Amino acid sequence: MTEQETRRQRQKRFERLAHVVAEPLHRYLLRRTHADTAEDVLSETLLVLWRRIDDVPGLGADGAPDPDDVLPWCYGVARGCLANAHRADGRRLRLLDRLMRTRPQQPAGAADHGDLHAALAEFGELDREVVRLWAWEELGPRQIAEVTGLTANAVSMRLHRAKKKLSTRLRTGRTGRENTARSGHGTDEARGGQ
């Protein structure tokens, strides 16, 4: 038997098995978890069944499998996949809890960046990403070009325009009027006085 014939035969066996067990497994999972998780776990279960098709008891080479022979083993696989999903959810929740507890609290009087975020929200997605990569990730135009698929020249132009827009937006603030006091400077200092 050739490799292609073996693959086709394996695929037919799996299709016959899936036809018999998919619906009962779905019902089994829906009774044990919410619908979204049931869908994901069913997919994972079918993947395990595909990989372990030769291990499924009661699955002959030809003909439809008897549900009484194959379902108990398949339920066991689904149960294991569901347990894995629950453990993964628990790990994610514990990590989230730990991150929330260790997140540094903003000190009193810390800068409010609401205006900056509002100004960034007015940009298109690509321009916003270019600014973030430049400011937050400290990448240069050539590196940003590699990330975004733009040319380095296009990144430089977008960055120049974005900085100009941000400067204007932050200088005028939400009121639309020029804000003459610069952040962190007294009025004498802002004008260059002694």
Side-chain angles (χ1 to χ4, degrees), residues 101-178:
R101 280 186 277 124
T102 61
R103 185 175 68 182
Q105 298 298 318
Q106 221 176 18
D112 174 25
H113 298 294
D115 288 344
L116 174 63
H117 290 288
L120 278 173
E122 293 175 4
F123 286 16
E125 182 59 39
L126 187 56
D127 287 339
R128 197 169 33 245
E129 182 64 8
V130 166
V131 171
R132 287 179 189 149
L133 289 168
W134 171 75
W136 296 345
E137 310 309 327
E138 299 179 358
L139 298 181
R142 210 173 359 177
Q143 295 164 315
I144 295 171
E146 195 173 322
V147 173
T148 60
L150 298 169
T151 64
N153 191 37
V155 168
S156 293
M157 289 170 41
R158 283 177 180 268
L159 202 48
H160 176 74
R161 284 191 302 251
K163 285 191 235 179
K164 209 171 182 179
K165 279 185 190 177
L166 274 175
S167 176
T168 302
R169 174 70 161 86
L170 293 175
R171 198 172 45 249
T172 59
R174 291 189 179 138
T175 63
R177 293 185 312 217
E178 179 102 14

Side-chain angles (χ1 to χ4, degrees), residues 7-96:
R7 227 178 301 132
R8 263 191 255 128
Q9 187 179 43
R10 181 182 172 91
Q11 185 174 349
K12 283 182 186 176
R13 289 176 68 207
F14 175 75
E15 287 170 357
R16 284 194 300 265
L17 176 66
H19 182 73
V20 169
V21 301
E23 190 57 37
L25 288 175
H26 192 243
R27 286 192 308 265
Y28 169 87
L29 293 167
L30 283 173
R31 286 191 287 268
R32 286 159 178 78
T33 190
H34 54 84
D36 291 340
T37 301
E39 296 290 329
D40 292 343
V41 172
L42 179 61
S43 297
E44 183 65 29
T45 301
L46 291 172
L47 182 61
V48 171
L49 293 177
W50 167 256
R51 286 194 309 249
R52 297 193 56 199
I53 192 75
D54 295 330
D55 299 336
V56 179
L59 185 60
D62 54 347
D66 183 1
D68 292 337
D69 293 337
V70 295
L71 267 173
W73 194 83
C74 294
Y75 284 143
V77 171
R79 184 172 180 266
C81 290
L82 183 59
N84 288 342
H86 284 225
R87 279 192 295 275
D89 283 345
R91 283 191 300 269
R92 276 191 293 275
L93 290 173
R94 285 190 300 279
L95 176 61
L96 181 62

